[in-house]
Amino acid sequence: MNAQPDTVSILIPDGESYIMLGVLRCLSDVKGIRLFVISNNRNTAMRYSRHITSFIYCTKSASVDEWFNLINKLVKKHDIDVILPVFENASQAFLRHRDMFCCDKLLLLPETLDALEVARDKWLLSQHLEKQDLDGPGTFRITEFLNHRSSKAEFYFPLLLKPTAETGDGKGIIKFDAYDDLKRYLKEHTIDPSYILQEYIEGYDLGCNVLCKNGEILAYTIQKGTIFTNRPFSPQVGLKITKDNEVYQRISKLMKSLNWNGVANIDMRYDVKRKKYLILEINTRFWYTVLASSKAGVNFPWLYCL
């Protein structure tokens, strides 16, 4: 690194993300960090944080070229050691526009856009799980239902209607208890053909958070939800960090199969009927409860920088 041995300069290029607060609080526990934050939200309260060395506003209307030019300029001006994207949109942009980026300060990301898409798209992930002999819930394309290519007997209710891309906070997920309820809803609403139907699992939620390099897990925590909001399918707001070797082995196999680089949060559910863990989806970014892992001794944002 070019900075002094006791100082590390970090640039966050997407400080407008709602994940930013948790990442900031994790990094604030580390001495010697100089934190530079780019955000397209001029009025975010975090710009006034004592933990941020410099806040740089970049308008939402800025082009990709302008955004990358600003990043390259700041890297040189402030002798940045590492660039830390906190949300998957920024990671996607870096992978898509590698030619616009003029330095080697970017942290580990998935090797290709295809690898990122397989992980973050629920339909593609379900197909990947099947190929890898990893357990996941039964999953169908909504078009199979709409075009009557599958018989009524193939669908086991309750079912969840889900967008394939991660929307955060459980948004867009609807539960249907009966075939006729789903059929009526689809008749009254226009549904994106990329949506999926997924079997509803009786059980409880848990998650595994990882930092990986070339598919190998360098650090992880496993968390089980204990407190939830009244909104269906919203993330846990209270949790406990736990240990479970079976969960670790399943996630280790999954990350190796994806040759994953960087951080990820894997949502799982324990099926009480079949008595097994099922992999639901992967959040290919930092997660809402990242601070809980840090308080348990695993500071993912800082370990990622290291």
Side-chain angles (χ1 to χ4, degrees), residues 188-220:
E188 297 171 354
H189 297 80
T190 301
I191 302 297
D192 189 313
S194 68
Y195 272 49
I196 58 170
L197 289 171
Q198 202 168 71
E199 66 172 318
Y200 176 77
I201 307 299
E202 292 289 347
Y204 59 84
D205 294 325
L206 70 158
C208 185
N209 315 302
V210 297
L211 170 62
C212 298
K213 182 177 181 180
N214 299 327
E216 296 294 330
I217 295 177
L218 304 180
Y220 77 98

Side-chain angles (χ1 to χ4, degrees), residues 139-280:
T139 305
F140 308 86
R141 283 188 180 277
I142 188 61
T143 49
E144 293 182 43
F145 189 94
L146 292 171
N147 298 332
H148 308 290
R149 289 203 295 265
S150 295
S151 68
K152 181 176 179 178
E154 287 186 59
F155 296 95
Y156 300 93
F157 286 82
L159 282 177
L160 301 176
L161 179 66
K162 290 185 174 184
T164 53
E166 193 261 337
T167 55
D169 213 21
K171 294 177 181 177
I173 302 176
I174 305 174
K175 180 184 176 185
F176 295 93
D177 292 314
Y179 181 91
D180 291 339
D181 295 336
L182 173 59
K183 190 173 182 180
R184 188 181 307 111
Y185 180 88
L186 295 177
K187 188 176 181 180
E188 297 171 354
H189 297 80
T190 301
I191 302 297
D192 189 313
S194 68
Y195 272 49
I196 58 170
L197 289 171
Q198 202 168 71
E199 66 172 318
Y200 176 77
I201 307 299
E202 292 289 347
Y204 59 84
D205 294 325
L206 70 158
C208 185
N209 315 302
V210 297
L211 170 62
C212 298
K213 182 177 181 180
N214 299 327
E216 296 294 330
I217 295 177
L218 304 180
Y220 77 98
T221 56
I222 298 171
Q223 60 191 49
K224 182 178 179 181
T226 57
I227 304 174
F228 298 85
T229 67
N230 293 327
R231 190 172 62 256
F233 313 113
S234 60
Q236 59 221 6
V237 293
L239 57 89
K240 66 177 180 179
I241 303 295
T242 186
K243 292 184 178 181
D244 193 307
N245 187 58
E246 184 180 349
V247 168
Y248 174 79
Q249 293 300 329
R250 288 174 185 270
I251 300 306
S252 179
K253 181 178 179 181
L254 174 62
M255 294 297 102
K256 285 179 181 177
S257 71
L258 294 167
N259 196 34
W260 192 253
N261 280 324
V263 295
N265 160 251
I266 301 92
D267 285 338
M268 305 179 72
R269 194 161 174 87
Y270 183 73
D271 187 333
V272 294
K273 293 182 179 178
R274 286 178 279 191
K275 300 188 184 305
K276 62 170 61 176
Y277 293 105
L278 304 182
I279 297 168
L280 301 182

Side-chain angles (χ1 to χ4, degrees), residues 94-113:
F94 280 111
L95 289 173
R96 183 173 283 126
H97 304 285
R98 291 179 187 270
D99 56 325
M100 295 184 182
F101 194 56
C102 66
C103 71
D104 59 355
K105 308 294 186 178
L106 186 64
L107 296 184
L108 282 170
L109 293 177
E111 291 184 350
T112 65
L113 272 172

